[in-house]
Amino acid sequence: MKKAVAKESASALIDQRIQDLGDWRGKTLAKVRALIHAADPEVVEEWKWMGTPVWSHDGIICTGESYKAAVKLTFLKGAALPDPAGLFNSSLEGNARRAIDIHEGDKINETAFKTLIRAAVVLNLENKSNKPKASRAKRKPAPK
Amino acid sequence: MESTLPKPALVAARTSPKAVTITFWIATALFCLEMGFTAYAQLNLQDAADGFTRLGFPGYFRVELAWAKVLGLLVLVAPVPGRLKEWAYAGFAINLVSALIAHFAVGDGPEAWAFAAFTSVLWVVSYVSWRNLQGGRA
């Protein structure tokens, strides 16, 4: 039920979402998708929670929701990421997540965005070495 | 404007107690299975935990809610006083309404909130039939 869809079909579902949106939102989603791939060639596309495009690399980098008035990129661990360019403009009160709302006509600071994507990947890789589990029940003892 | 729809409790009153009992147990069993599964998922599956983060809930709330679900479903099926069951039903009602609001708030489509909506229907059937078995006393 909450299983992520297989890679190929996830990418196809994201293609479909871009096509279904059709307007500037589809173009925006396609644009950020291209930027994410440019920033991290090893990125994995996923489709989670019955309808949300997700980009991952050893954990979620960001999600790509589409609203009526905005395309929203939610970084689940955004609060822990450096954002000197001030890209985050939404969910600023979140204790873990941060989001970027892109409205019609907004210009994306591509260099800063790609840097942010890479920082999110680095954070995921750092967390991988001592991966936080959703529950303590499954935690394996650390290797000596 | 007088509603022509009879109250659910009145409809149930005309059905045999046995039918109500069967309805209650089917709805309640399905409801508890779903709640049990989601409680397990949000404690043990990374995807479910990420989903909570995406909806904007803190980690401790995810754990709290999961254990509350476990307690609630135990109360629903255990032979405990009716007043306790009312509390469990109330808790689940708040849980389900909040889940739907959370999904709407992040702009999720029907495929994402259908699960909570279907569980809400089971909640209604379970609650109405339970009240009926109680003798429908308000």
Side-chain angles (χ1 to χ4, degrees):
Chain A
M1 184 327 298
K2 288 202 161 87
K3 272 269 176 292
V5 186
K7 274 185 226 177
E8 303 75 23
S9 60
S11 294
L13 285 163
I14 299 174
D15 291 342
Q16 188 65 46
R17 170 64 50 83
I18 289 167
Q19 208 171 4
D20 290 347
L21 288 168
D23 53 10
W24 65 272
R25 295 175 301 168
K27 287 194 181 74
T28 303
L29 197 58
K31 175 84 191 155
V32 296
R33 184 193 201 180
L35 289 172
I36 293 167
H37 282 275
D40 178 20
E42 290 176 26
V43 71
V44 176
E45 300 198 316
E46 296 178 290
W47 187 264
K48 290 193 184 201
W49 312 299
M50 319 294 287
T52 305
V54 175
W55 289 279
S56 297
H57 186 147
D58 287 308
I60 292 175
I61 298 170
C62 71
T63 69
E65 284 105 347
S66 29
Y67 291 71
K68 278 197 173 60
V71 170
K72 188 186 195 82
L73 306 170
T74 306
F75 291 69
L76 296 192
K77 297 189 278 278
L81 295 174
D83 179 28
L87 294 177
F88 291 134
N89 59 4
S90 181
S91 298
L92 299 175
E93 75 295 335
N95 56 3
R97 62 181 185 150
R98 290 286 181 273
I100 304 173
D101 283 351
I102 306 170
H103 302 95
E104 190 169 10
D106 283 359
K107 267 257 165 283
I108 306 166
N109 180 339
E110 299 189 9
T111 315
F113 182 72
K114 286 195 276 198
T115 306
L116 186 66
I117 293 292
R118 289 190 197 104
V121 173
V122 169
L123 183 65
N124 281 348
L125 291 170
E126 282 171 0
N127 284 339
K128 199 186 166 189
S129 45
N130 52 349
K131 199 178 173 186
K133 271 279 191 292
S135 120
R136 282 175 304 165
K138 292 197 164 181
R139 185 164 292 173
K140 292 192 178 74
K144 290 275 185 300
Chain B
M1 176 74 197
E2 193 63 42
S3 168
T4 51
L5 279 174
K7 288 196 174 73
L10 293 176
V11 176
R14 282 197 296 271
T15 51
S16 76
K18 192 177 174 192
V20 178
T21 307
I22 291 170
T23 306
F24 167 79
W25 279 111
I26 289 174
T28 307
L30 285 173
F31 180 85
C32 289
L33 279 173
E34 291 207 359
M35 279 299 171
F37 170 73
T38 54
Y40 165 81
Q42 59 196 68
L43 286 171
N44 293 290
L45 304 181
Q46 187 61 48
D47 262 12
D50 289 340
F52 264 76
T53 310
R54 172 178 162 266
L55 294 171
F57 294 113
Y60 66 82
F61 175 75
R62 173 176 56 82
V63 176
E64 169 196 335
L65 183 65
W67 288 111
K69 285 177 180 178
V70 172
L71 278 177
L73 65 88
L74 287 176
V75 168
L76 285 196
V77 296
V80 296
R83 183 175 293 195
L84 264 181
K85 289 189 191 277
E86 287 278 6
W87 273 80
Y89 275 118
F92 280 127
I94 294 165
N95 170 201
L96 288 163
V97 171
S98 304
L100 289 167
I101 291 173
H103 281 298
F104 294 145
V106 299
D108 276 346
E111 55 280 275
W113 51 256
F115 196 71
F118 177 65
T119 312
S120 302
V121 173
L122 289 176
W123 181 96
V124 170
V125 176
S126 172
Y127 183 66
V128 169
S129 54
W130 174 70
R131 288 303 306 266
N132 205 260
L133 290 172
Q134 297 283 297
R137 284 186 305 275

PDB file of all heavy atoms in Angstrom, chain B residues 65-77:
ATOM      1  N   LEU B  65       0.799   8.681  18.004  1.00  0.00           N
ATOM      2  CA  LEU B  65      -0.433   8.328  17.290  1.00  0.00           C
ATOM      3  C   LEU B  65      -0.510   6.820  17.050  1.00  0.00           C
ATOM      4  O   LEU B  65      -1.575   6.213  17.184  1.00  0.00           O
ATOM      5  CB  LEU B  65      -0.510   9.087  15.955  1.00  0.00           C
ATOM      6  CG  LEU B  65      -1.782   8.856  15.146  1.00  0.00           C
ATOM      7  CD1 LEU B  65      -3.002   9.386  15.886  1.00  0.00           C
ATOM      8  CD2 LEU B  65      -1.688   9.523  13.779  1.00  0.00           C
ATOM      9  N   ALA B  66       0.631   6.210  16.707  1.00  0.00           N
ATOM     10  CA  ALA B  66       0.643   4.770  16.454  1.00  0.00           C
ATOM     11  C   ALA B  66       0.209   3.992  17.697  1.00  0.00           C
ATOM     12  O   ALA B  66      -0.625   3.094  17.619  1.00  0.00           O
ATOM     13  CB  ALA B  66       2.033   4.327  16.002  1.00  0.00           C
ATOM     14  N   TRP B  67       0.764   4.351  18.852  1.00  0.00           N
ATOM     15  CA  TRP B  67       0.404   3.649  20.089  1.00  0.00           C
ATOM     16  C   TRP B  67      -1.029   3.956  20.504  1.00  0.00           C
ATOM     17  O   TRP B  67      -1.726   3.091  21.045  1.00  0.00           O
ATOM     18  CB  TRP B  67       1.404   3.948  21.201  1.00  0.00           C
ATOM     19  CG  TRP B  67       2.717   3.265  20.925  1.00  0.00           C
ATOM     20  CD1 TRP B  67       3.899   3.854  20.589  1.00  0.00           C
ATOM     21  CD2 TRP B  67       2.954   1.849  20.888  1.00  0.00           C
ATOM     22  NE1 TRP B  67       4.869   2.894  20.359  1.00  0.00           N
ATOM     23  CE2 TRP B  67       4.321   1.659  20.533  1.00  0.00           C
ATOM     24  CE3 TRP B  67       2.159   0.711  21.122  1.00  0.00           C
ATOM     25  CZ2 TRP B  67       4.894   0.390  20.415  1.00  0.00           C
ATOM     26  CZ3 TRP B  67       2.735  -0.559  20.997  1.00  0.00           C
ATOM     27  CH2 TRP B  67       4.089  -0.701  20.654  1.00  0.00           C
ATOM     28  N   ALA B  68      -1.485   5.172  20.233  1.00  0.00           N
ATOM     29  CA  ALA B  68      -2.879   5.515  20.519  1.00  0.00           C
ATOM     30  C   ALA B  68      -3.816   4.649  19.686  1.00  0.00           C
ATOM     31  O   ALA B  68      -4.853   4.181  20.177  1.00  0.00           O
ATOM     32  CB  ALA B  68      -3.122   6.997  20.218  1.00  0.00           C
ATOM     33  N   LYS B  69      -3.441   4.395  18.430  1.00  0.00           N
ATOM     34  CA  LYS B  69      -4.250   3.530  17.570  1.00  0.00           C
ATOM     35  C   LYS B  69      -4.321   2.114  18.136  1.00  0.00           C
ATOM     36  O   LYS B  69      -5.385   1.495  18.153  1.00  0.00           O
ATOM     37  CB  LYS B  69      -3.646   3.476  16.153  1.00  0.00           C
ATOM     38  CG  LYS B  69      -3.894   4.723  15.325  1.00  0.00           C
ATOM     39  CD  LYS B  69      -3.195   4.613  13.973  1.00  0.00           C
ATOM     40  CE  LYS B  69      -3.446   5.855  13.141  1.00  0.00           C
ATOM     41  NZ  LYS B  69      -2.731   5.785  11.837  1.00  0.00           N
ATOM     42  N   VAL B  70      -3.159   1.611  18.592  1.00  0.00           N
ATOM     43  CA  VAL B  70      -3.114   0.254  19.160  1.00  0.00           C
ATOM     44  C   VAL B  70      -4.040   0.164  20.379  1.00  0.00           C
ATOM     45  O   VAL B  70      -4.872  -0.744  20.482  1.00  0.00           O
ATOM     46  CB  VAL B  70      -1.667  -0.132  19.535  1.00  0.00           C
ATOM     47  CG1 VAL B  70      -1.647  -1.453  20.288  1.00  0.00           C
ATOM     48  CG2 VAL B  70      -0.797  -0.223  18.277  1.00  0.00           C
ATOM     49  N   LEU B  71      -3.915   1.145  21.288  1.00  0.00           N
ATOM     50  CA  LEU B  71      -4.776   1.174  22.474  1.00  0.00           C
ATOM     51  C   LEU B  71      -6.241   1.243  22.069  1.00  0.00           C
ATOM     52  O   LEU B  71      -7.090   0.512  22.587  1.00  0.00           O
ATOM     53  CB  LEU B  71      -4.443   2.403  23.335  1.00  0.00           C
ATOM     54  CG  LEU B  71      -3.266   2.297  24.281  1.00  0.00           C
ATOM     55  CD1 LEU B  71      -3.047   3.630  24.986  1.00  0.00           C
ATOM     56  CD2 LEU B  71      -3.521   1.191  25.305  1.00  0.00           C
ATOM     57  N   GLY B  72      -6.539   2.125  21.122  1.00  0.00           N
ATOM     58  CA  GLY B  72      -7.916   2.340  20.689  1.00  0.00           C
ATOM     59  C   GLY B  72      -8.538   1.089  20.116  1.00  0.00           C
ATOM     60  O   GLY B  72      -9.677   0.733  20.449  1.00  0.00           O
ATOM     61  N   LEU B  73      -7.796   0.380  19.253  1.00  0.00           N
ATOM     62  CA  LEU B  73      -8.418  -0.800  18.641  1.00  0.00           C
ATOM     63  C   LEU B  73      -8.569  -1.932  19.650  1.00  0.00           C
ATOM     64  O   LEU B  73      -9.507  -2.729  19.557  1.00  0.00           O
ATOM     65  CB  LEU B  73      -7.681  -1.221  17.362  1.00  0.00           C
ATOM     66  CG  LEU B  73      -6.254  -1.723  17.376  1.00  0.00           C
ATOM     67  CD1 LEU B  73      -6.215  -3.221  17.588  1.00  0.00           C
ATOM     68  CD2 LEU B  73      -5.604  -1.398  16.028  1.00  0.00           C
ATOM     69  N   LEU B  74      -7.677  -1.987  20.640  1.00  0.00           N
ATOM     70  CA  LEU B  74      -7.848  -2.983  21.705  1.00  0.00           C
ATOM     71  C   LEU B  74      -9.138  -2.707  22.471  1.00  0.00           C
ATOM     72  O   LEU B  74      -9.915  -3.617  22.771  1.00  0.00           O
ATOM     73  CB  LEU B  74      -6.653  -2.969  22.661  1.00  0.00           C
ATOM     74  CG  LEU B  74      -5.350  -3.569  22.113  1.00  0.00           C
ATOM     75  CD1 LEU B  74      -4.214  -3.395  23.124  1.00  0.00           C
ATOM     76  CD2 LEU B  74      -5.536  -5.046  21.776  1.00  0.00           C
ATOM     77  N   VAL B  75      -9.377  -1.428  22.770  1.00  0.00           N
ATOM     78  CA  VAL B  75     -10.585  -1.044  23.507  1.00  0.00           C
ATOM     79  C   VAL B  75     -11.849  -1.357  22.692  1.00  0.00           C
ATOM     80  O   VAL B  75     -12.869  -1.780  23.238  1.00  0.00           O
ATOM     81  CB  VAL B  75     -10.531   0.456  23.892  1.00  0.00           C
ATOM     82  CG1 VAL B  75     -11.888   0.944  24.382  1.00  0.00           C
ATOM     83  CG2 VAL B  75      -9.469   0.688  24.954  1.00  0.00           C
ATOM     84  N   LEU B  76     -11.769  -1.180  21.366  1.00  0.00           N
ATOM     85  CA  LEU B  76     -12.941  -1.434  20.524  1.00  0.00           C
ATOM     86  C   LEU B  76     -13.360  -2.900  20.535  1.00  0.00           C
ATOM     87  O   LEU B  76     -14.544  -3.208  20.447  1.00  0.00           O
ATOM     88  CB  LEU B  76     -12.687  -1.012  19.069  1.00  0.00           C
ATOM     89  CG  LEU B  76     -12.704   0.480  18.732  1.00  0.00           C
ATOM     90  CD1 LEU B  76     -12.840   0.675  17.238  1.00  0.00           C
ATOM     91  CD2 LEU B  76     -13.823   1.218  19.449  1.00  0.00           C
ATOM     92  N   VAL B  77     -12.389  -3.812  20.616  1.00  0.00           N
ATOM     93  CA  VAL B  77     -12.747  -5.232  20.526  1.00  0.00           C
ATOM     94  C   VAL B  77     -12.794  -5.917  21.902  1.00  0.00           C
ATOM     95  O   VAL B  77     -13.332  -7.007  22.016  1.00  0.00           O
ATOM     96  CB  VAL B  77     -11.796  -6.018  19.585  1.00  0.00           C
ATOM     97  CG1 VAL B  77     -11.921  -5.501  18.158  1.00  0.00           C
ATOM     98  CG2 VAL B  77     -10.349  -5.934  20.055  1.00  0.00           C
TER      99      VAL B  77
END
